[in-house]
Amino acid sequence: MRGFRGGMMGGGGFRMGRKFASGDLQLVILALLVEQPRHGYELIKLLEERSGGFYVPSPGVIYPALTYLEETGLADVESEGTKKLYRITESGRRLVEENQSMIDMTLGKLEKIGAKMAHVRK
């Protein structure tokens, strides 16, 4: 991944504790912003839902990642009162395209974990 901080997850697995390396989380956020513009809280809830509650990123993880994406020109932000709405830029879209297979694998793992969590809770 050229010029992107944080690095990749070794072998595509989740790390214990944080679950994502910062660069991986930033790519996942960008992929979610491709779908539609979102607020930070929406991103937290979406990742929680997709993982069946396994991964609930804190605001202290999501908002610095969003700030980084904005500062590097990968996302734009629009203020809506006290909320900020984040949109992906063309540079961000290109980065998602370049890393689509890793993003798909990561989101797929989140969804598989979510399905397992739902099955365990039954």
Side-chain angles (χ1 to χ4, degrees), residues 4 23-38 43 46-47 50 69 74 88 92-93 95-97 99-100 102-104 106-107:
F4 204 65
D24 297 336
L25 177 60
Q26 292 157 358
L27 281 171
V28 167
I29 289 170
L30 286 173
L32 296 175
L33 293 178
V34 166
E35 296 172 1
Q36 69 182 57
R38 299 183 190 274
L43 292 164
L46 190 56
L47 289 167
R50 288 199 178 181
L69 294 173
L74 299 170
I88 193 164
R93 286 182 193 280
L95 190 63
V96 168
E97 288 172 11
N99 293 280
Q100 193 64 58
M102 190 284 299
I103 292 166
D104 291 344
T106 302
L107 289 173

Side-chain angles (χ1 to χ4, degrees), residues 2-5 26-27 30 64-76 87 89-95:
R2 291 172 289 161
F4 204 65
R5 80 170 189 185
Q26 292 157 358
L27 281 171
L30 286 173
L66 287 167
T67 298
Y68 178 78
L69 294 173
E70 179 187 2
E71 289 173 352
T72 57
L74 299 170
D76 286 327
R87 298 179 194 286
T89 63
E90 282 308 310
S91 299
R93 286 182 193 280
R94 281 193 301 276
L95 190 63

Side-chain angles (χ1 to χ4, degrees), residues 5-58:
R5 80 170 189 185
M8 304 292 287
M9 295 184 279
F14 289 103
R15 296 173 190 249
M16 293 308 292
R18 287 189 344 199
K19 312 279 191 309
F20 282 108
S22 62
D24 297 336
L25 177 60
Q26 292 157 358
L27 281 171
V28 167
I29 289 170
L30 286 173
L32 296 175
L33 293 178
V34 166
E35 296 172 1
Q36 69 182 57
R38 299 183 190 274
H39 298 96
Y41 180 76
E42 285 179 272
L43 292 164
I44 292 169
K45 292 318 244 175
L46 190 56
L47 289 167
E48 178 181 12
E49 287 172 19
R50 288 199 178 181
S51 70
F54 172 74
Y55 181 58
V56 185
S58 71

